C-alpha cells in the first residue's frame, strides 16, 4: 500500500534499523522501545492486522514465529521473550500493517494494559 508506513520501511523508502530479512518478512528495531530488546517483525505482504489473517496469508504468521525463535536463539534471549500483536482500536494498534512486537531483555509483568 502506497501510504503505509511499514510498506515504505520494507521498500527502503523510510530508514529503519534492520535486524533480519528474508523473502517473506522484515524485522527492525522499534523506534520507541518499551524493553531493552524491542523488535518489530512484519510480513512483506500488506495485511492490515490480525483480523485479516486467513487461510491464504496465515503462512506469514507461522513464518514470523519461526523467525522470532531464530532471532531469540541467535541473539541469546536465554531468559525468555514475549511476542505481541495489537489489533484494532481497543488494543491500541497504531500502524495498520500486521506486525509482531518481539520483546526481551527484562523481567516482564503481565497486564492487559501494559506490554512489559
Ligand atoms: P502498534 O502500536 O502495536 O501498532 O505498534 C506500532 C509500533 O511501531 C510502535 O511500537 C511504534 O513505536 C513503532 N513505530 C512507529 N514508527 C516507527 C518507525 N518509523 N520505525 C520503527 N518503529 C516505528
Ligand atoms: Zn503495509
Amino acid at each position: 500500500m502506497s501510504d503505509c508506513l511499514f510498506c515504505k520501511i520494507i521498500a527502503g523508502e523510510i530508514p529503519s534499523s534492520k535486524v533480519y530479512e528474508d523473502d517473506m518478512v522484515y524485522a527492525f528495531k522499534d523506534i520507541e522501545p518499551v524493553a531493552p530488546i524491542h523488535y518489530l517483525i512484519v510480513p512483506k505482504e500488506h495485511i492490515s492486522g490480525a483480523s485479516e489473517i486467513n487461510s491464504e496469508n496465515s503462512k506469514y504468521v507461522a513464518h514470523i514465529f519461526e523467525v522470532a525463535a531464530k532471532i531469540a536463539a541467535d541473539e541469546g534471549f536465554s531468559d525468555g521473550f514475549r511476542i505481541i500483536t495489537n489489533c484494532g482500536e481497543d488494543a491500541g494498534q497504531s500502524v495498520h500493517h500486521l506486525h509482531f512486537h518481539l520483546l526481551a531483555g527484562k523481567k516482564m509483568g503481565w497486564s492487559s494494559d501494559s506490554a512489559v
Side-chain angles (χ1 to χ4, degrees):
M1 276 184 87
S2 57
D3 62 346
C4 170
L5 173 64
F6 288 174
C7 282
K8 287 179 178 169
I9 284 177
I10 292 163
E13 294 165 10
I14 291 176
S16 65
S17 297
K18 179 172 88 171
V19 295
Y20 178 87
E21 181 175 18
D22 63 26
D23 57 335
M24 291 178 74
V25 306
Y26 187 77
F28 55 105
K29 292 182 181 176
D30 196 293
I31 204 166
E32 288 184 50
V34 298
I37 304 286
H38 186 170
Y39 301 157
L40 299 171
I41 312 176
V42 308
K44 287 190 169 178
E45 177 180 323
H46 181 87
I47 301 166
S48 61
S51 59
E52 300 303 313
I53 294 165
N54 56 42
S55 59
E56 299 296 311
N57 61 27
S58 59
K59 62 187 180 216
Y60 287 104
V61 180
H63 189 62
I64 283 168
F65 275 72
E66 285 180 38
V67 166
K70 176 177 166 41
I71 292 172
D74 288 352
E75 299 201 15
F77 302 168
S78 53
D79 292 329
F81 58 91
R82 178 170 289 171
I83 298 169
I84 295 173
T85 190
N86 295 317
C87 182
E89 192 177 342
D90 274 3
Q93 183 180 4
S94 60
V95 179
H96 292 270
H97 180 126
L98 180 67
H99 53 281
F100 290 80
H101 299 257
L102 175 60
L103 304 167
K106 65 174 282 190
K107 187 102 180 155
M108 290 175 259
W110 181 243
S111 160
S112 64
D113 290 334
S114 171
V116 289

